[in-house]
Amino acid sequence: MGKTKVYAVRKGRQPGIYESWDQCKRQTDGFKGCEYKSFSSFSDAESYMNGISPTKTEAVLRSVTGDAAVAKPRPKIACISADAVSAEELIHVSSSSCSKIKQGAVPIQAGRVYQVEFDGASKGNPGRAGAGALLKDPDGNVECEMSEGVGHATNNVAEYRGLILGLKTALDKGIKKIIVKGDSKLVCEQIMERWKVRNEGLKDLWQEAMYLKSQFLEFKIQHVDREFNPLADQLANIGVTLPETKFVSSSRS
């Protein structure tokens, strides 16, 4: 029996780790600048998704032209082991991961649609929680990655905090057109106002997210399966290790 292969799509229609070539091909075929590799272990595939060089590469990185390519290094925050550094160091890396946009080296492309991906994590639900989000430019490149400590909270609270973190970052950069992706069906359905917010602990967060939503000229939100949200999940789990950041409502300021 041959080795089992998994396929990691770092840049494609839906980045993630896939169990078959057909699934991988659907995400990369015809996608400009796609980045993917095959691996014999899930852990090596995860390392590749996080920007860490695996111990053994099973395939050459391809582009749509079939030529070999070199993957661009990810911002540092995605490569950090939470066990290896202090919370203070994590905070520094998290805040500096947006430096390209802050310094104006990557100008905002007015009129084009950017993408926010978000996630939340709670160790115990409720338990120690964290939020994560990332911002992608119109070409699908990751421009900014954020993690935030949420303190003791439920998973749904952490998911909302991840969404709010991503929306605030996009607005701070002057972005006015956005598509949002997350694996929390509850958050996505409530933001689309198809589900009512019955939990009192979520109402302030929902109100904040709806206020931020109203600041965009174009806004869409899409629920995706968890396997298509791996980087936001990583960032949320880093957030679990960070000191709590108190929620402050911008809609009431």
Side-chain angles (χ1 to χ4, degrees):
M1 182 179 290
K3 289 184 178 181
T4 301
K5 278 190 176 183
V6 292
Y7 300 85
V9 178
R10 189 156 62 186
K11 186 183 292 187
R13 292 181 180 85
Q14 288 286 359
I17 299 173
Y18 297 88
E19 294 180 349
S20 73
W21 165 243
D22 286 341
Q23 291 173 323
C24 174
K25 187 177 180 181
R26 283 197 293 270
Q27 308 308 321
T28 58
D29 194 21
F31 187 91
K32 184 178 179 181
C34 63
E35 295 178 6
Y36 63 95
K37 288 183 182 180
S38 63
F39 299 92
S40 59
S41 73
F42 190 83
S43 60
D44 277 357
E46 281 189 317
S47 295
Y48 172 74
M49 293 296 293
N50 294 334
I52 304 170
S53 298
T55 55
K56 183 179 180 181
T57 300
E58 297 291 337
V60 177
L61 183 65
R62 302 174 181 87
S63 69
V64 291
T65 61
D67 299 326
V70 178
K72 296 178 181 179
R74 286 191 162 297
K76 292 182 179 179
I77 190 169
C79 306
I80 289 176
S81 167
D83 297 330
V85 295
S86 67
E88 289 76 12
E89 289 172 306
L90 281 169
I91 292 170
H92 172 73
V93 174
S94 176
S95 63
S96 66
S97 63
C98 297
S99 60
K100 289 193 294 181
I101 296 179
K102 286 179 179 177
Q103 295 170 0
V106 182
I108 297 302
Q109 301 176 49
R112 298 190 67 191
V113 180
Y114 284 71
Q115 180 171 306
V116 163
E117 297 173 13
F118 73 93
D119 204 359
S122 175
K123 306 303 181 182
N125 197 27
R128 189 168 179 84
L134 59 130
L135 177 67
K136 289 183 176 179
D137 70 16
D139 296 318
N141 302 304
V142 176
E143 290 289 356
C144 189
E145 299 177 348
M146 301 80 69
S147 294
E148 184 175 84
V150 177
H152 188 87
T154 65
N155 187 66
N156 288 334
V157 167
E159 293 276 4
Y160 261 109
R161 290 286 295 270
L163 171 61
I164 290 168
L165 181 63
L167 295 184
K168 283 184 174 179
T169 300
L171 289 169
D172 285 347
K173 309 308 171 193
I175 294 166
K176 290 298 183 180
K177 296 183 179 181
I178 201 79
I179 182 169
V180 180
K181 296 183 179 182
D183 57 37
S184 171
K185 188 170 181 65
L186 178 137
V187 170
C188 292
E189 292 291 332
Q190 288 180 345
I191 294 301
M192 289 187 287
E193 298 185 84
R194 292 204 287 248
W195 291 6
K196 292 183 178 180
V197 184
R198 303 184 186 280
N199 188 313
E200 290 295 327
L202 298 180
K203 287 186 176 179
D204 284 348
L205 295 167
W206 175 82
Q207 183 179 29
E208 173 73 1
M210 293 298 287
Y211 170 78
L212 296 172
K213 171 185 173 181
S214 71
Q215 304 304 299
F216 291 93
L217 296 176
E218 290 184 16
F219 180 96
K220 294 181 181 178
I221 189 166
Q222 177 184 352
H223 174 253
V224 297
D225 291 335
R226 186 175 182 181
E227 59 264 32
F228 298 133
N229 204 33
L231 183 51
D233 177 71
Q234 294 278 346
L235 296 168
N237 279 286
I238 289 175
V240 171
T241 71
L242 300 178
E244 179 181 0
T245 300
K246 293 293 185 181
F247 169 66
V248 178
S249 173
S250 56
S251 61
R252 297 178 182 175
S253 59

